[in-house]
Amino acid sequence: MKVAAAVLTALAASADGAVLWDGRFNDLSSSQDLLTWSWSNQVGPYQYYIHGSGSVDKYINLSPSYKNPNDTVSKQGARFTLDSTAYWNGQNMRRIELIPQTKAAINKGKVFYHFSLMRKDTNPPSVNREHQICFFESHFTELKYGWISGEAGTSNPNLQWMTSQQSHWKTEWKAGVWHNVAYEIDFSANTVGFWHSEGGDPLKQVVAPVSASTSSNGADWHLGVLELPRSGYADATEDFYFSGVYIEDGTITTTIGGPGV
């Protein structure tokens, strides 16, 4: 019976995908470790260069209390902060983003980009401004939150999944609720699907793959947020929480946190 149980365990493990890149913050002692990366010393899980003029701890901080508590694989999560200094490279948009540092084939075949995100009532993201979250540079897939530029009204409380500026899924983004997400990207078929759950529930495909111009050089997925400016609405400090960040291929892992390290 023990042999049979071991075989079943092995088969179950093989059904999960293979982790191509691990961004679950487990190997970072603090956000200060992000500073070890540079263009001349490309080490660690992340490229850190899209941020404001302040010290790293103004924009990113790590803590076990910042992760989805249902994720037993991640040791900690990250709080990303937009404050009055979070302007990058002279732009008028507030930004704080990390990019995977890897040579793995995260832009080939069918892959799944996983992450969980949450907001709180303290320093909430504005419902009056457009936030582009976890996007590629061509914006072929991304999340958005808040009032979308050009739409009617003045506010929008919804978190939305978009492909090429078209919304395919939305829900009100309530404080304290962890949203678990996986982008199902088939770079060969030029399609993107959307997997989602809340809290500790297993991921489910909520939008079947749709056509998209899937284009990536493997170094242009932005974990974090870009906030568009809007006249009449002053900057306020905003916090975003992320955990369970990784990319896999093969069959999707639906358990929160992903395969063990």
Side-chain angles (χ1 to χ4, degrees):
M1 294 296 292
K2 290 183 178 180
V3 173
V7 170
L8 289 173
T9 300
L11 288 173
S14 66
D16 288 336
V19 175
L20 297 175
W21 169 79
D22 193 339
R24 289 176 283 195
F25 307 111
N26 287 341
D27 296 329
L28 301 178
S29 59
S30 75
S31 60
Q32 295 292 327
D33 289 345
L34 295 169
L35 300 177
T36 62
W37 181 91
S38 68
W39 292 113
S40 60
N41 183 43
Q42 298 185 23
V43 297
Y46 286 107
Q47 296 180 6
Y48 176 69
Y49 65 92
I50 301 176
H51 55 78
S53 58
S55 59
V56 63
D57 58 351
K58 287 181 68 69
Y59 311 117
I60 299 178
N61 286 278
L62 307 179
S63 170
S65 66
Y66 296 161
K67 76 179 184 73
N68 184 337
N70 301 283
D71 176 358
T72 60
V73 178
S74 298
K75 297 178 182 177
Q76 57 190 343
R79 185 184 67 198
F80 285 37
T81 299
L82 296 179
D83 68 4
S84 60
T85 70
Y87 294 92
W88 174 61
N89 206 26
Q91 297 179 351
N92 66 347
M93 301 170 286
R94 295 197 298 175
R95 305 179 66 169
I96 176 60
E97 299 146 37
L98 296 176
I99 292 176
Q101 173 60 51
T102 180
K103 294 182 179 179
I106 62 174
N107 62 335
K108 305 292 183 183
K110 182 188 285 188
V111 292
F112 300 89
Y113 281 60
H114 290 261
F115 58 93
S116 297
L117 74 162
M118 187 267 289
R119 74 165 185 88
K120 295 184 177 182
D121 279 329
T122 302
N123 297 335
S126 172
V127 295
N128 306 112
R129 289 185 174 189
E130 178 177 326
H131 301 85
Q132 301 170 0
I133 304 170
C134 296
F135 58 91
F136 288 82
E137 289 188 12
S138 67
H139 295 270
F140 72 82
T141 187
E142 63 191 323
L143 292 179
K144 287 190 178 184
Y145 176 68
W147 181 82
I148 306 298
S149 298
E151 72 179 357
T154 59
S155 65
N156 189 331
N158 292 317
L159 183 68
Q160 303 188 64
W161 176 62
M162 320 278 287
T163 62
S164 303
Q165 312 304 320
Q166 299 297 312
S167 178
H168 300 278
W169 170 92
K170 64 182 179 181
T171 190
E172 182 180 355
W173 195 8
K174 297 179 180 179
V177 177
W178 278 97
H179 291 272
N180 310 301
V181 168
Y183 299 154
E184 177 185 342
I185 306 173
D186 193 327
F187 287 100
S188 300
N190 290 310
T191 60
V192 186
F194 186 68
W195 295 68
H196 174 265
S197 72
E198 293 184 3
D201 293 342
L203 288 167
K204 293 183 179 180
Q205 188 185 70
V206 295
V207 182
V210 298
S211 296
S213 298
T214 55
S215 175
S216 172
N217 62 3
D220 69 332
W221 183 61
H222 299 243
L223 171 72
V225 57
L226 180 158
E227 180 191 63
L228 297 183
R230 188 181 180 195
S231 178
Y233 295 90
D235 291 345
T237 300
E238 301 179 353
D239 289 335
F240 302 76
Y241 296 82
F242 294 95
S243 73
V245 185
Y246 69 99
I247 301 171
E248 67 177 342
D249 65 2
T251 303
I252 188 171
T253 302
T254 59
T255 55
I256 304 310
V261 177

